[in-house]
Amino acid sequence: MTYEVIGISVLWLFLFGYVIVASIDFGAGFFNAYSLLINKHHIISGIIQRYLSPVWEVTNVFLVFFFVGVVGFFPRTAFYYGTSLLVPASIAIVLLAIRGSYYAFTTYGELRHKGWTYLYGFSGLFIPASLSIVLTISEGGFITEDEAGLALDYWALFTSPLTWSIVVLSLTSVLYISAAFLTWYANKAKDHQATELLRKYALVWAFPAIITATGIIVELRTHNPVHFNRLVDLWFLFGISFVLFLGSVYLIWKRKNYGIAFTLLTGQFLVAFFAYGISHYPYLLYPYLTIYDSFTSEEMAVALIVAFIAGLGLLLPSLFLLLKLFLFNKDYVQGNR
Amino acid sequence: MGNEEAVFFSRLLTELTLSFHIIYATIGVGIPLMIFIAQWVGIKKQDEHYILLARRWTRGFVITVAVGVVTGTAIGLQLSLLWPNFMQLAGNVIALPLFMETFAFFFEAIFLGIYLYTWDRFKDQRKHMLLLIPVAIGASFSAVFITMVNAFMNTPQGFDLENGVLVNVKPLVAMFNPAMPTKVAHVLSTAYMTSAFILASVGAFRLLKGSNHVYHKKALFLTMKIGLIFSIASAVIGDFSGKYLAEYQPEKLAAYEWHFETEEGAPLILFGVLKDNHEVKYALEIPYALSILAHGDPYAEVIGLDQFSEDVIPPLYIHYLFDLMVTIGMVVAMVSLVYVVGTWLRRRFVNANWFLWIVFTTGPLAMLAIEAGWWLTEVGRQPWVLRGMMRTADAATTSNHVDSMLLLFTGLYLVLGVGSVIVLTRMFRKNPVEQELADRHGEGR
Ligand code: HDD
Ligand code: HEM
Ligand code: HEM
């Protein structure tokens, strides 16, 4: 494997990590707000709070890791994406900031007010929408380069069906991933009422998620035929992903093994995410940037990879401890502690 | 190309974000160490008060961390959004410490989560205290790594530019640049010092508001001692920073000190006002002091601004910032010295209201010195973003929307600033120490 491929694989893996943990977080906030709206708040808010409290800061670091790593491994992305993304990225930062701080203010500072619950819940849906725009832009066709510099064509971006299908996919997946995870978590807590409600949400969102994902492949056919053809070549990976999807829906439907169901779901998204990434190869920003022409020097690449391995040595045991204490600890999950 | 408006607003937005972030960042670096010390003293002396101190500080700390995290995420992304040319170069050469910083954050975030939710989970209190060590290490190391990046901006090295192409990149050489040792040490010790004084201010404030509980007196004495130690350390390291500057960035030092003519046995100018034609009025001149600060020798030659062309000299108002920082450093060190000695000698004045008011000012003053210090060193590096390599004006984005983003973020910081103050005051007002101590004894502890 070349250094370029190692670099992008590591970053892609962490982005995947962010997608999963952030989806759980965003979706949890949404279900919390929604249940307040329909007067079922008492059923699920306890479960959601107990899961989110110890981990919310960790979620954010996944994102920081990704964008710092991209600039390290592929410095030219700082120039291209930095120049063109000023407005969408700033809006995403503001939403993330409001969400993160109000989570802390309400949970630790006991600033309880219904307004914040709604703000918190619904802002969580706008964040994936605004972050997913980056994926749309990377398909090419929205950035123009001339003497005056780089410019993002907002009109083309917001009128493109591709943009909206990626936005819808991000929303449906957030809700599906989150509901499936929380079903498992509530079941571990032996909270049957919450499990039933969340299970219903998971089943409701499963099919919209898979349909929009298919829709995007269709959109790409006209938007970026090169990418589309590479996607089609990887049909077997999407096939595996679909089988995993069916497996997890089946288990949730039959109220069996929610843990395995969530594992299958993670596998489904992992395979699809990497299939998408592989088909995007070698472009970081079509057609301007590839992982090869934007790569950092070899010396830096080696240094970053060494730092990464050393960092993982610290990180994995710590993450394991966190999971052991809060996710896999019966007493904590059941609220006895 | 160039877009002067974009450069101007990018600067303003960077200044705003960093000035806001640094408040929470400084607290974030220093407080974990304070919590650790309090918990350690509490376990060693078997004194419930110190344990409760650690507990209450932690509760406040969570709020400031949250704002630190979100504003830090903002600055991290903004660096690429506002200074794409700079970050492209920085990514090639100094990405290593930036990358390692994310591991420090990870480490801190994970253990903070664990620490917060395990107060009563261990039989042995010491095990719980151990969880704080990674939090404190993570916080301090994130400061170390980010300051390395900032040091690199002052003394860039570890790469060569050949026809505009970067070659011979040496990440470790870039990381361990000449500005690094003094900068990292000064940033850390001032962060510890400022956090100690902020907590001292809180204690003094409670005593002033009528509580006479021994809990607050213990808190005050502990934090004043720590503040004293780190303010002395900060002054000593600050002196080393001066020597570093004299060797590597003489134009910066000369601008701090309004030192216009190269001379031997140079005097240090304190305070004063700058008039036209480099005329300094109302200043206090300390003979030989600048030569001592710069070289540790009263007769040494100090390079003046006459050796540099007009277009690489930073704005001269930074002298006022230097005076502000140093004066505050001296004042708060004196206050803490008087408090600590007065307490040892059991003098009554240390608990008098007028003195407590003075003690109360140390926290806000120290934070002001932090702001002054950053403004001083950042403005003092102008016109360069990478000294001698890249000008600030060439590093900025060319986007036309920076002004509206400035408005957006101003609004955000207003909300976060006001929100965090309201939440913190409510948190402690609703749950006074007396109440909490009574509750805990009620539980049969
Ligand atoms: C004196 C130390 C110091 C300095 C000079 C800075 N920071 Fe900072 N930063 C911290 C000390 C810190 C911290 C105390 O470590 C924070 C606050 C809370 C936390 O978890 O870390 C933090 C948070 C923080 C985060 C959020 C991390 C997370 O999600 O946990 C980012 C991305 C940055 N910072 C980035 C920066 C950048 C790009 C800076 C300069 C240009 C900068 N910081 C200056
Ligand atoms: C957190 C504390 C910091 C504060 C309060 C701070 C403050 C400032 C100020 C006031 C300026 C504007 C100077 C001017 O326009 O005249 C500035 C510029 C800048 N700083 Fe810092 N700084 C801090 C740390 C850092 C660090 C650690 C880095 C590097 C990672 C950094 C990167 C920059 C950049 C890229 C600019 C824009 C270019 C420039 O104007 O020099 N700053 N900062
Ligand atoms: C009392 C004697 C002090 C001296 C002689 C001193 C000296 C210095 C010098 C020379 C610099 C510039 C370094 C550079 O540009 O590379 C600096 C920067 C700075 N100072 Fe001080 N300082 C003192 C006290 C303080 C205090 C009390 C604080 C805050 C509580 C403080 C906070 C800072 C900060 C945050 C910086 C920017 C970071 C850096 O460049 O190291 N200083 N100081």
Side-chain angles (χ1 to χ4, degrees):
Chain A
M1 258 209 275
T2 59
Y3 289 133
E4 285 88 346
V5 174
I6 298 180
I8 195 68
S9 309
V10 164
L11 293 173
W12 200 241
L13 192 65
F14 269 76
L15 187 60
F16 175 74
Y18 181 68
V19 167
I20 296 292
V21 290
S23 292
I24 296 175
D25 180 331
F26 296 145
F30 173 79
F31 291 129
N32 194 22
Y34 179 70
S35 67
L36 189 65
L37 199 67
I38 60 167
N39 283 325
K40 292 193 174 161
H41 197 235
H42 53 284
I43 302 182
I44 59 175
S45 74
I47 286 291
I48 289 177
Q49 291 288 346
R50 213 170 309 137
Y51 165 72
L52 282 183
S53 299
V55 301
W56 74 273
E57 209 195 329
V58 179
T59 308
N60 194 55
V61 190
F62 272 95
L63 179 65
V64 175
F65 184 98
F66 177 73
F67 69 68
V68 170
V70 164
V71 173
F73 279 105
F74 305 101
R76 270 179 58 175
T77 54
F79 177 71
Y80 276 87
Y81 280 111
T83 310
S84 47
L85 287 180
L86 178 66
V87 177
S90 295
I91 293 173
I93 299 170
V94 169
L95 291 170
L96 275 171
I98 294 199
R99 215 182 119 80
S101 56
Y102 277 106
Y103 179 75
F105 290 178
T106 50
T107 311
Y108 307 117
E110 287 158 23
L111 192 73
R112 299 230 190 280
H113 188 280
K114 274 190 186 175
W116 296 133
T117 310
Y118 290 130
L119 187 71
Y120 177 74
F122 296 110
S123 69
L125 292 188
F126 288 108
I127 297 172
S130 62
L131 291 178
S132 67
I133 295 238
V134 180
L135 283 185
T136 317
I137 292 173
S138 75
E139 291 297 338
F142 303 110
I143 289 183
T144 51
E145 189 174 25
D146 57 26
E147 290 88 69
L150 293 171
L152 182 60
D153 184 346
Y154 287 99
W155 176 252
L157 183 64
F158 286 113
T159 51
S160 160
L162 180 68
T163 311
W164 294 105
S165 24
I166 292 188
V167 165
V168 175
L169 172 68
S170 70
L171 295 183
T172 49
S173 334
V174 159
L175 296 173
Y176 175 48
I177 295 173
S178 179
F181 173 81
L182 291 170
T183 308
W184 175 37
Y185 197 71
N187 187 52
K188 277 179 71 111
K190 300 213 165 57
D191 185 339
H192 296 294
Q193 249 188 325
T195 312
E196 279 305 302
L197 188 62
L198 289 161
R199 169 181 169 273
K200 201 177 86 194
Y201 293 154
L203 291 175
V204 165
W205 288 107
F207 287 93
I210 204 83
I211 288 166
T212 44
T214 322
I216 286 171
I217 300 182
V218 177
E219 292 296 338
L220 272 180
R221 186 184 179 141
T222 47
H223 189 90
N224 185 339
V226 180
H227 191 177
F228 175 75
N229 287 332
R230 293 193 50 112
L231 273 174
V232 173
D233 290 342
L234 293 171
W235 64 270
F236 57 96
L237 286 179
F238 290 100
I240 295 176
S241 175
F242 188 68
V243 172
L244 290 170
F245 166 78
L246 291 181
S248 55
V249 172
Y250 175 80
L251 289 175
I252 295 175
W253 178 259
K254 289 282 178 198
R255 295 194 175 81
K256 275 200 282 208
N257 291 330
Y258 293 121
I260 297 179
F262 184 71
T263 314
L264 294 181
L265 177 148
T266 312
Q268 168 209 337
F269 277 88
L270 183 76
V271 173
F273 198 74
F274 269 82
Y276 174 85
I278 294 167
S279 66
H280 211 288
Y281 173 90
Y283 291 104
L284 288 171
L285 173 59
Y286 186 85
Y288 297 109
L289 281 183
T290 69
I291 60 172
Y292 296 103
D293 59 23
S294 64
F295 198 58
T296 188
S297 61
E298 196 179 312
E299 296 87 341
M300 182 59 82
V302 174
L304 290 178
I305 292 171
V306 171
F308 176 73
I309 293 171
L312 272 194
L314 268 179
L315 207 60
L316 289 181
S318 332
L319 268 176
F320 180 71
L321 185 68
L322 183 75
L323 294 181
K324 193 173 148 243
L325 283 173
F326 296 112
L327 205 51
F328 301 122
N329 184 295
K330 268 222 175 70
D331 283 338
Y332 178 79
V333 174
Q334 295 178 358
N336 300 337
R337 270 180 166 163
Chain B
M1 231 157 12
N3 178 344
E4 273 173 41
E5 226 174 64
V7 176
F8 175 74
F9 285 111
S10 297
R11 285 187 125 142
L12 230 54
L13 182 48
T14 307
E15 289 161 21
L16 178 71
T17 304
L18 280 171
S19 304
F20 189 68
H21 172 67
I22 197 62
I23 298 176
Y24 296 90
T26 302
I27 295 177
V29 171
I31 301 270
L33 182 69
M34 306 302 138
I35 301 174
F36 183 78
I37 295 176
Q39 201 175 358
W40 187 57
V41 173
I43 291 175
K44 226 179 91 183
K45 291 193 178 170
Q46 286 297 315
D47 186 335
E48 185 77 358
H49 287 155
Y50 288 100
I51 307 265
L52 186 60
L53 205 56
R55 247 183 134 121
R56 288 172 66 91
W57 286 348
T58 310
R59 246 178 265 150
F61 175 63
V62 187
I63 302 293
T64 58
V65 169
V67 182
V69 167
V70 298
T71 54
T73 310
I75 181 64
L77 274 164
Q78 273 178 5
L79 283 180
S80 294
L81 297 174
L82 299 176
W83 311 100
N85 296 305
F86 164 65
M87 280 309 272
Q88 183 173 342
L89 195 155
N92 274 302
V93 191
I94 194 70
L96 184 60
L98 271 177
F99 191 61
M100 299 202 314
E101 194 196 8
T102 58
F103 283 103
F105 287 144
F106 245 129
F107 205 48
E108 176 187 356
I110 291 174
F111 282 93
L112 185 61
I114 299 179
Y115 182 76
L116 281 179
Y117 286 88
T118 50
W119 271 101
D120 297 317
R121 211 151 142 177
F122 296 102
K123 280 235 170 62
D124 185 351
Q125 276 273 356
R126 278 176 298 185
K127 279 196 189 150
H128 183 238
M129 185 180 74
L130 287 182
L131 289 171
L132 200 57
I133 294 176
V135 178
I137 291 180
S140 289
F141 269 83
S142 61
V144 169
F145 291 132
I146 196 71
T147 310
M148 283 174 160
V149 179
N150 186 264
F152 170 81
M153 295 163 69
N154 285 285
T155 46
Q157 64 172 32
F159 65 101
D160 294 316
L161 267 181
E162 275 172 21
N163 306 325
V165 183
L166 279 171
V167 290
N168 293 334
V169 175
K170 300 189 192 74
L172 288 177
V173 176
M175 220 168 120
F176 293 98
N177 56 72
M180 191 279 287
T182 46
K183 235 182 213 306
V184 167
H186 200 55
V187 166
L188 282 182
S189 78
T190 54
Y192 298 145
M193 148 188 180
T194 304
S195 305
F197 283 123
I198 292 211
L199 295 172
S201 292
V202 175
F205 189 73
R206 300 305 330 165
L207 287 173
L208 278 166
K209 286 290 150 198
S211 167
N212 207 14
H213 206 287
V214 58
Y215 168 92
H216 296 302
K217 292 185 184 153
K218 286 179 182 168
L220 198 53
F221 190 46
L222 179 68
T223 50
M224 285 309 248
K225 272 191 287 192
I226 303 172
L228 176 61
I229 293 169
F230 283 111
S231 42
I232 294 170
S234 302
V236 172
I237 300 165
D239 181 58
F240 284 120
S241 299
K243 299 191 171 33
Y244 147 78
L245 284 175
E247 185 163 351
Y248 292 95
Q249 291 180 284
E251 76 287 6
K252 203 173 176 183
L253 183 66
Y256 287 169
E257 312 297 352
W258 288 345
H259 182 57
F260 297 104
E261 314 286 335
T262 305
E263 61 180 326
E264 294 175 4
L268 184 71
I269 295 177
L270 273 185
F271 310 109
V273 185
L274 191 61
K275 298 280 179 198
D276 296 339
N277 295 326
H278 297 172
E279 189 193 345
V280 179
K281 279 215 165 137
Y282 318 117
L284 205 68
E285 263 195 36
I286 311 177
Y288 304 111
L290 182 55
S291 288
I292 297 178
L293 175 69
H295 298 287
D297 165 5
Y299 300 104
E301 183 183 75
V302 181
I303 297 174
L305 288 174
D306 54 353
Q307 305 284 319
F308 300 93
S309 75
E310 202 55 51
D311 69 335
V312 296
I313 294 179
L316 292 176
Y317 74 82
I318 51 182
H319 176 74
Y320 303 114
L321 297 173
F322 186 79
D323 285 346
L324 184 66
M325 172 185 77
V326 173
T327 312
I328 291 177
M330 299 297 172
V331 168
V332 295
M334 280 312 291
V335 174
S336 53
L337 182 69
V338 170
Y339 183 90
V340 171
V341 173
T343 309
W344 272 331
L345 300 180
R346 296 178 194 281
R347 292 295 152 99
R348 302 261 307 271
F349 77 87
V350 295
N351 289 319
N353 272 2
W354 64 269
F355 192 70
L356 286 175
W357 276 116
I358 295 179
V359 169
F360 169 71
T361 61
T362 54
L365 279 179
M367 194 52 90
L368 190 64
I370 293 271
E371 295 279 354
W374 277 111
W375 277 79
L376 156 86
T377 176
E378 294 295 308
V379 177
R381 194 186 58 237
Q382 301 309 311
W384 305 105
V385 60
L386 272 183
R387 180 179 178 269
M389 299 259 173
M390 184 187 271
R391 282 177 190 264
T392 308
D394 301 326
T397 177
T398 45
S399 169
N400 289 321
H401 303 289
V402 189
D403 49 350
S404 26
M405 295 304 111
L406 179 64
L407 283 180
L408 181 72
F409 280 100
T410 310
L412 173 69
Y413 301 145
L414 269 175
V415 171
L416 293 181
V418 173
S420 54
V421 170
I422 292 179
V423 168
L424 282 172
T425 40
R426 271 180 38 147
M427 202 159 154
F428 290 105
R429 195 170 296 153
K430 262 170 108 184
N431 190 7
V433 181
E434 288 81 358
Q435 182 71 45
E436 196 167 342
L437 278 169
D439 288 353
R440 289 170 68 84
H441 282 289
E443 285 171 23
R445 277 161 199 275

